[in-house]
Amino acid sequence: AKNIYEYNPDAKIIIFLREPVAFLKSLHSERCDRLNENEEDFFKALELEKIRRKGESIPESISSPSYLYYSQWADYESQIKRYVDLFGTNQIRVYFLENIAKNEKAIYEDILKFIGVNDTGFYPDVNIERNRSKRVRSKFLWKILKHSSIWKFVKDFVPESMFGFLERLSYKVLFKKAEKKRLSEEEISSLKEEYLDRVISLNKYLQDTGLITFRLLAFWGYEDLL
């Protein structure tokens, strides 16, 4: 936040939020797919945070252990405050993934207005498969391709214009569709209990600053836990 402010104090800040339990479950799956997380059990991975903060049980492939401090990633309020303190609320807009999923075109148009960009009326008329659950076909091959020497070779000898194509190709070849491992209602409720205090505080902070006008507790399904 500080670096952005020093570069451009008039910058518009867009923040996307997702219900914490759903976000952490998705984040854990992504970390596993990228081989940055070696504990595929979501709940065990959450429990490992305590010893990982002590430098234990850290996967070799992770560039920064803090990537696996899941509770830290869900500390939305402290992260938002850093931006509010510097930019003020008039330069910040908060959006929620749940609303994007319901009407992404409306969110897109609102973002254009917020950042002061003219709406040309363009919107792709195609069906896009979003948030597809996937699993790596070969962890061994994926580890080889993720090795720093391979990426150095790619950056040194492959035109930058080809990066996007190669990334799409690698994902198509190395990953396959997989059924999402969904949490049970009991598991979701148990985790929401852990994050209830944070959501209560976040709800109050966002309302007090005028960044939202609705009750976040109800929107994210925490109301029944009170």
Side-chain angles (χ1 to χ4, degrees), residues 28-78:
H28 172 259
S29 295
E30 180 186 346
R31 296 285 188 253
C32 288
D33 289 342
R34 294 180 178 275
L35 304 184
N36 292 324
E37 172 63 87
N38 56 7
E39 177 51 73
E40 295 193 3
D41 184 287
F42 177 51
F43 287 91
K44 289 181 180 178
L46 295 180
E47 293 174 359
L48 280 174
E49 181 176 337
K50 292 180 181 179
I51 65 171
R52 282 173 167 170
R53 285 180 177 272
K54 298 177 182 179
E56 303 174 25
S57 192
I58 305 294
E60 292 182 2
S61 58
I62 197 81
S63 58
S64 175
S66 64
Y67 286 171
L68 301 180
Y69 300 167
Y70 293 102
S71 66
Q72 182 173 296
W73 283 89
D75 186 11
Y76 299 155
E77 185 176 343
S78 67

Side-chain angles (χ1 to χ4, degrees), residues 52-106:
R52 282 173 167 170
R53 285 180 177 272
K54 298 177 182 179
E56 303 174 25
S57 192
I58 305 294
E60 292 182 2
S61 58
I62 197 81
S63 58
S64 175
S66 64
Y67 286 171
L68 301 180
Y69 300 167
Y70 293 102
S71 66
Q72 182 173 296
W73 283 89
D75 186 11
Y76 299 155
E77 185 176 343
S78 67
Q79 297 180 48
I80 295 172
K81 278 182 176 178
R82 291 189 291 113
Y83 287 89
V84 172
D85 290 346
L86 287 170
F87 293 94
T89 55
N90 289 336
Q91 290 175 226
I92 297 175
R93 189 67 56 90
V94 177
Y95 295 99
F96 295 84
L97 180 68
E98 295 83 356
N99 286 336
I100 298 173
K102 290 178 182 177
N103 193 343
E104 62 184 15
K105 190 171 187 291

Side-chain angles (χ1 to χ4, degrees), residues 19-21 192 195-196 199 217-218 220-226:
E19 188 278 311
V21 174
K192 281 187 173 182
Y195 287 95
L196 177 59
V199 176
L217 286 160
W220 274 347
Y222 284 73
E223 201 80 78
D224 295 339
L225 301 176
L226 297 175

